């Protein structure tokens, strides 16, 4: 039985929410495997718009099991705020359709404090985080001082975890000129939230393995994008987790053999939120036009996204590293009406041509795109649900992208509506 991993093939914000929602009808289980509530998905279902940050997209679909895996860092207060918001929109959420890995590390208020303090202190060198504590929480995870979901079930264990955690954070805060953490207040908050959170805690690795053997289809949902990966992204302007497809296995407790199809999501152009290199960025009227037509504002932060032409070099890299089997190309309709379009096919750095983005930050900052120009189209592609409804120039554009990224287009999205999708290859096909 095929299980599908969905990953962003650019810098995030590629439209993963719609695609995951579209695929969720074919899945039994939808599992988040990394990131935190710094990610955001917007789902448009009929007249309703759902904005998710932490909950798996499948939560809005009746009869589906939503899973938050151990690769996620979890802010329990943000979780229940999101649950309350969705409940107000008519989405029923309970232990029947939501499960959280008991070894999931928690994001605490002190993580958010540290995130903001360090960003402010960095000045011009700031990374551009959301300030939601994701990076510091991952630091504590690998530093073996995190408080995990299961720790909330035993006060003695919780006390020991708090002692170790605060021995680190109080010293760090002192060096940054911040007051020590109020231990009693933090413990009280954790003991208060524990009875609400613990009923959702389960040995996710065990249950998912059992469900997989029973023939259930699993959809693994990634957050952010491949170019924000802690190892392969534009470091240090990256997130603090592994965003590549391999994390789906370790972030939920399944082996690599559980992954059947890797679907990469990419816009028909390129966007980025926050600081960092962006070779094809357009700081002109074309970039402005892309941003306005694509409504390019972050789901979580509301920050305006930087916009530019499609970068085939970067998408080819992410397809190779994540082992992408097919691409879901989104927002093709945003390109309607352009006389000409450009695709980046390489870079030039100090007179030297590159067929990949070099790792060295200094070289990345000096990389200028080498463009190939294609004919645009004046007809509308919005809402197209078959190849026959697309202008010939639009089909040619998509085919050229396939050639350059060395990966086929499996799905083509032509509007935010979930049904405005052209299916080429069903990722769940056995």
């Amino acid at each position: 039985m095929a299980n599908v991993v969905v990953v962003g093939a650019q810098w995030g914000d590629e439209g993963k929410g719609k695609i995951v929602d579209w695929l969720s009808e074919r899945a039994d289980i939808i599992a988040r495997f990394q990131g935190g509530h710094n990610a955001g998905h917007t789902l448009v279902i009929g007249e309703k718009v759902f904005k998710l940050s932490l909950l798996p997209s499948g939560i809005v679909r009746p009869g589906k099991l939503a899973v938050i895996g151990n690769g996620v860092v979890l802010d329990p207060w943000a979780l229940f705020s999101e649950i309350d918001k969705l409940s107000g929109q008519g989405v029923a959420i309970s232990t029947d359709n939501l499960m959280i890995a008991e070894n999931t590390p928690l994001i605490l208020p002190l993580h958010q404090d540290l995130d903001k303090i360090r960003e402010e202190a960095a000045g011009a060198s700031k990374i551009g985080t959301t300030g939601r504590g994701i990076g510091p929480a991952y630091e504590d995870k690998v530093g073996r001082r995190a408080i995990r979901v299961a720790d909330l079930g035993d006060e003695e264990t919780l006390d020991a975890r708090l002692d170790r955690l605060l021995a680190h954070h109080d010293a760090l805060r002192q060096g940054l000129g911040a007051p020590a953490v109020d231990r009693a207040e933090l413990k009280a908050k954790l003991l208060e939230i524990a009875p609400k959170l613990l009923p959702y805690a389960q040995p996710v690795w065990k249950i998912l393995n059992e469900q997989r053997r029973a023939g259930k289809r699993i959809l693994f949902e990634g957050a952010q994008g491949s170019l924000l990966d802690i190892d392969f992204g534009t470091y240090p302007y990256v997130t603090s987790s592994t965003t590549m497809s391999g994390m789906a296995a370790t972030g939920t407790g399944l082996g690599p053999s559980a992954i059947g199809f890797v679907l990469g999501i990419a816009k028909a152009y390129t966007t980025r939120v926050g600081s960092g290199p962006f070779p094809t960025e357009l700081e002109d009227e074309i970039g402005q036009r892309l941003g306005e037509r694509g409504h390019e504002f972050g789901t979580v932060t509301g920050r305006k996204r930087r916009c530019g032409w499609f970068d085939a070099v970067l998408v080819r890299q992410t397809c190779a590293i994540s082992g992408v089997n097919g691409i879901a190309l989104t927002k093709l309709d945003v390109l309607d009406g352009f006389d000409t379009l450009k695709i980046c096919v390489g870079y030039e750095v100090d007179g030297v041509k590159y067929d990949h983005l070099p790792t060295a930050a200094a070289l990345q900052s000096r990389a200028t795109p080498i463009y190939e120009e294609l004919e645009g189209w004046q007809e509308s592609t919005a809402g197209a649900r078959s190849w026959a409804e697309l202008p010939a120039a639009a089909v040619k554009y998509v085919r050229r992208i396939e050639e350059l990224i060395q990966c086929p287009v499996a799905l083509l999205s032509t509007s935010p509506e979930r049904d405005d999708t052209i299916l080429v290859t069903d990722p769940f096909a056995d």
Side-chain angles (χ1 to χ4, degrees):
M1 188 68 68
N3 296 313
V4 178
V5 179
V6 174
V7 294
Q10 294 162 314
W11 275 291
D13 308 306
E14 303 97 346
K16 293 185 292 298
K18 170 193 167 173
I19 301 300
V20 169
D21 176 57
W22 189 85
L23 288 170
S24 67
E25 278 196 344
R26 295 160 171 78
D28 302 296
I29 301 167
I30 299 89
R32 268 283 302 273
F33 60 85
Q34 53 78 220
H37 64 307
N38 56 337
H41 296 324
T42 300
L43 309 182
V44 180
I45 302 175
E47 298 297 318
K48 290 188 176 182
V49 178
F50 300 98
K51 293 184 180 293
L52 308 180
S53 295
L54 187 56
L55 290 166
S57 298
I59 197 72
V60 301
R61 291 287 166 193
K64 309 297 179 181
L65 176 61
V67 175
I68 296 176
N70 56 276
V72 173
V73 283
L74 177 71
D75 182 326
W77 298 277
L79 171 68
F80 287 108
S81 174
E82 193 169 319
I83 287 175
D84 290 343
K85 182 179 178 181
L86 287 180
S87 297
Q89 292 183 276
V91 179
I93 301 173
S94 70
T95 54
D96 293 331
N97 64 344
L98 177 62
M99 180 171 64
I100 301 170
E102 55 193 1
N103 54 336
T104 300
L106 300 180
I107 299 176
L108 307 175
L110 57 83
H111 293 127
Q112 296 176 356
D113 292 344
L114 182 59
D115 205 349
K116 293 171 184 174
I117 291 169
R118 290 197 301 206
E119 278 287 272
E120 291 171 4
S125 299
K126 67 180 180 180
I127 293 171
T129 76
T130 60
R132 300 195 171 198
I134 280 73
Y138 274 117
E139 289 177 42
D140 283 340
K141 175 182 177 176
V142 298
R144 296 167 292 182
R145 53 181 173 264
I147 293 174
R148 306 196 297 180
V149 172
D151 298 331
L152 300 182
D154 178 70
E155 190 170 348
E156 186 177 341
T157 300
L158 180 60
D159 278 327
R161 296 283 191 268
L162 282 170
D163 288 343
R164 180 174 174 82
L165 180 69
L166 297 188
H168 171 81
H169 276 270
D170 283 344
L172 188 57
R173 290 164 71 99
Q174 183 179 12
L176 292 167
V181 175
D182 187 327
R183 187 187 192 282
E185 180 184 17
L186 177 57
K187 182 181 176 181
K189 286 182 177 180
L190 289 169
L191 291 177
E192 181 184 17
I193 201 77
K196 293 180 66 177
L197 185 63
L198 286 172
Y200 293 94
Q202 297 289 340
V204 159
W205 67 271
K206 181 176 182 292
I207 294 170
L208 288 186
N209 273 282
E210 291 170 350
Q211 293 294 307
R212 182 189 170 213
R213 285 197 296 272
K216 301 296 185 181
R217 288 178 168 176
I218 305 171
L219 178 61
F220 299 96
E221 178 182 4
Q224 289 94 27
S226 296
L227 295 170
L228 294 176
D229 183 82
I230 189 67
D231 288 312
F232 294 100
T234 47
Y235 192 90
Y237 301 101
V238 294
T239 195
S240 297
S241 60
T242 297
T243 61
M244 299 296 182
S245 62
M247 187 62 189
T250 54
T252 57
L254 290 169
S257 61
I259 299 172
F261 191 100
V262 179
L263 181 68
I265 316 295
K267 282 177 183 168
Y269 50 102
T270 309
T271 64
R272 176 168 197 169
V273 171
S275 307
F278 184 173
T280 65
E281 183 174 11
L282 297 169
E283 298 181 277
D284 57 14
E285 67 277 4
I286 295 177
Q288 181 76 13
R289 181 178 174 184
L290 289 172
E292 290 174 355
R293 295 200 60 186
H295 305 290
E296 297 298 350
F297 297 91
T299 300
V300 170
T301 63
R303 289 183 294 180
K304 183 178 178 181
R305 296 174 187 143
R306 301 154 65 191
C307 299
W309 293 121
F310 186 85
D311 192 329
V313 182
L314 288 179
V315 176
R316 183 170 65 241
Q317 286 181 213
T318 60
C319 285
I321 296 167
S322 263
V324 173
N325 300 106
I327 283 286
L329 194 67
T330 67
K331 291 197 168 185
L332 182 68
D333 54 303
V334 174
L335 299 181
D336 294 350
F338 282 91
D339 293 328
T340 57
L341 302 169
K342 293 181 180 181
I343 299 176
C344 176
V345 297
Y347 307 116
E348 187 171 307
V349 183
D350 302 332
V352 179
K353 292 184 177 180
Y354 286 81
D355 63 357
H356 66 284
L357 185 66
T359 300
L363 296 180
Q364 289 181 355
S365 66
R366 297 200 299 276
T368 57
I370 300 170
Y371 285 120
E372 181 177 300
E373 197 167 288
L374 286 81
E375 179 187 357
W377 57 89
Q378 299 306 310
E379 306 94 322
S380 173
T381 63
R385 299 184 182 182
S386 70
W387 287 105
E389 296 177 54
L390 296 177
V395 174
K396 185 177 179 180
Y397 180 79
V398 174
R399 295 304 187 201
R400 184 55 180 150
I401 283 177
E402 290 180 314
E403 293 172 356
L404 291 169
I405 67 175
Q406 299 172 0
C407 186
V409 169
L411 298 165
L412 190 63
S413 171
T414 57
S415 92
E417 294 292 335
R418 70 189 305 272
D419 292 328
D420 291 340
T421 305
I422 300 172
L423 176 65
V424 181
T425 302
D426 185 354
F428 276 116
D430 295 329

